[in-house]
Amino acid sequence: MAKRLSSTTTTSRKAMRSRSVQRIGIVGLGLMGRGIASCLLANGFEVVGFDISATQRKGSLKHISHALTELHKRKLLPARRLADWQQQYHVVTSPEGLAECALVIESVAEDLELKRGIYAQLESILPTKAIIASNTSSLPITSLQQGRLHPSRMIGMHWGEPAEIMHYLEIIPGEHTAPSVIRYAEKFGRSCGKEPVVLKQDIRGFLSNRLMYAMMREACHLVEAGIADIADVDRSFRNDIGWWALLAGPFRWMDLTGIPAYAAVMEGLLPELSDTKTVPRLMKQMQKKKAEGISNRKGFYPYTHSSSKRWKKDWVDFTYDMKRLAEKYKAD
């Protein structure tokens, strides 16, 4: 994003103005940006996607086509939405192409200065009533609002992947976010088929990531300490916590299984849990090996081309299964 951006677009603004549906912009068409675009298109929004990378722009078309086709196959998307999505999706090569969006969702790397540079560009293009949301997974929204001309219109919207399937969405107001923007974001999330959670405080990592990273820290500690190997930790987690976590969160689970026992266990166990403040040695080893997981077939487990493809497919199939279960067993 540091390069000077082109001013050309692939779709004329006149053509986009002719449509009556709400127009949403996305900056960053990597995995998350593509998934968010798929979700919005599946729910009837018009989407304008921008990325400085031609490869990412082209890749978004393939990803969206596959995602929407899969939704249609599973009877979760009407045929007309599948037929019309290419008329509703506009790829642009400049942020100027986002000028008529009611909402722009930034979904780029977790780099504070990169994000601030994008917001500065958007502020010069968007009308003051347009809302700017960040799909950051950890940065406090208040830090993103610093130095902005209109910080009250900025909010965090943390999506899950695959965005077109999951019900997950966390909405994080910053210190300066206007109440009307919070209300808009929550209503928008529901219109995308989500069950949005609005945080009451702006905190690094938000809700689900803080829970997840605490678990990952302890998992690394158990392996590093020689208590169990990687496969054993995964198997134990999957066959216990993984068995009930979709039905009930931690507090509901304590209600279901008896609160007093958990208080008693906490007294002796909590002092012995890992509280390290640095990246675990196991993770640093993975970084040194340039391991990315199934994407480059280097991870905690060995992968072949075929096994990595199978895991990708299994993840999508599993997510659809979980979607059906989540809709059968409502939390409220």
Side-chain angles (χ1 to χ4, degrees), residues 99-116:
E100 297 180 11
C101 294
L103 163 69
V104 174
I105 302 169
E106 166 270 306
S107 186
V108 301
E110 291 291 90
D111 182 317
L112 181 59
E113 293 310 312
L114 171 64
K115 291 178 184 290
R116 285 175 172 170

Side-chain angles (χ1 to χ4, degrees), residues 41 85 130:
L41 291 163
W85 76 266

Side-chain angles (χ1 to χ4, degrees), residues 112 115-116 119 123 132 134 139-156 172-178 181-182 202:
L112 181 59
K115 291 178 184 290
R116 285 175 172 170
Y119 304 147
E123 284 183 322
I132 299 174
S134 176
L139 296 174
I141 304 306
T142 302
S143 68
L144 301 180
Q145 292 176 320
Q146 291 175 3
R148 302 278 58 85
L149 297 174
H150 305 286
S152 62
R153 63 167 164 183
M154 296 188 65
I155 195 165
I172 310 97
E175 181 180 339
H176 307 290
T177 305
V181 173
I182 302 171
D202 180 20

Side-chain angles (χ1 to χ4, degrees), residues 304-322:
T304 63
H305 179 71
S306 60
S307 68
S308 63
K309 285 182 67 175
R310 177 178 63 82
W311 273 103
K312 288 178 183 179
K313 182 180 184 302
D314 285 352
W315 166 235
V316 173
D317 290 343
F318 179 81
T319 308
Y320 277 111
D321 289 343
M322 292 301 99

Side-chain angles (χ1 to χ4, degrees), residues 189-210:
R190 295 190 185 282
S191 71
C192 295
K194 307 306 178 192
E195 297 178 5
V197 172
V198 180
L199 272 68
K200 295 177 174 59
Q201 293 184 37
D202 180 20
I203 185 172
R204 182 180 294 274
F206 322 132
L207 297 184
S208 67
N209 270 352
R210 292 180 75 93

